[in-house]
Amino acid sequence: MGRSRRTIPEELLLLALDPTTGTTAQPQSLDLGLAGAQLVELALAGRIAPDGDRIAVVVPRPTGDPTLDCALELLRRRGAPVRAVHWIGGPRLGLRQTYLSHLERCGMVAAVAGQMCGVLPTTRYQATDTEISREIRARLDSAIRTGVPPDPRTAALAALAHAVGLGKHLYPGNEGRSSRSRLRDLIRHDPMGGLVAHAVMDVQNGAAAQPRRGPATAGRPAGPGVRTAAEPARGVPMQPHHGSMARAVAH
């Protein structure tokens, strides 16, 4: 996989960044969404495939993206297909910071040091290339406005944006209600994105302990929930702290 194309985790994170405050919207559910976005990206790269409500490795060859390849290797080591909810619900310390640091190295965001309560050091991230963020947003807006089925990447991004609760961040207020509804409906346009998005919502709702018994419902709302302790999945481990990754992130 070449690095000229932005990955879905990177685009999801850019969507979540507030251009004014430099904070990330929905930080807790966003962490789940980033783990799910990795699965979608690996599926688009032909490395994994859905197997019912589980994820199976079909081609273990590295993609060339270190963070994705770490996730792929962990999936391969499982030996058998893993339920999406268990993978997404597993601990992934440092995953968001890993992607923020990558975006900083690429020049897409800039780290701004600050303090919390005048004492604790924090770091906020401001988008430096707003054209990229506008292009990502424009793809979602076009899919919502035109009703034309989007490409798989945009459909998956829309599904994940809905799953982590970014709808109110992207389309706020009563005037954004219809756009939020159409954002939710885009889940049906990508099977893998839909599977992962529903898994993210299930983890938030504390439903990861039980397998799905029927077809996924596109209208299932996201809500605050508790991560299940049943069969915890291993995720991407904490990356080595160096450079900007050693700084705390203010939510």
Side-chain angles (χ1 to χ4, degrees), residues 1 7 9 38 41-42 63 65-73 99:
M1 176 185 300
T7 65
Q38 286 187 312
E41 192 67 51
L42 287 170
T63 66
D65 180 305
T67 309
L68 289 176
D69 289 341
C70 183
L72 179 62
E73 176 60 15
Y99 277 109

Side-chain angles (χ1 to χ4, degrees), residues 11-19 25-26 30 133-141 144 154 156-184 186:
E11 292 196 329
L12 183 66
L13 186 50
L14 286 170
L15 277 178
L17 277 178
D18 188 301
Q26 304 293 333
L30 179 63
S133 297
R134 284 196 295 267
E135 183 271 328
I136 297 169
R137 175 68 179 271
R139 282 163 41 211
L140 291 185
D141 291 345
I144 287 173
T154 302
L157 181 63
L160 287 161
H162 166 71
V164 303
L166 290 183
K168 290 184 178 180
H169 169 70
L170 298 171
Y171 306 103
N174 288 332
E175 63 275 15
R177 184 177 301 172
S178 61
S179 293
R180 293 195 298 270
S181 177
R182 288 192 289 271
L183 179 71
R184 176 200 64 206
L186 291 175

Side-chain angles (χ1 to χ4, degrees), residues 106-126:
C106 292
M108 296 185 197
V109 301
V112 180
Q115 289 184 330
M116 181 183 295
C117 301
V119 179
L120 298 176
T122 62
T123 303
R124 298 174 185 270
Y125 290 85
Q126 301 284 163

Side-chain angles (χ1 to χ4, degrees), residues 190-208:
D190 180 64
M192 186 66 176
L195 168 65
V196 170
H198 282 296
V200 169
M201 291 186 282
D202 280 348
V203 173
Q204 293 180 82
N205 292 327

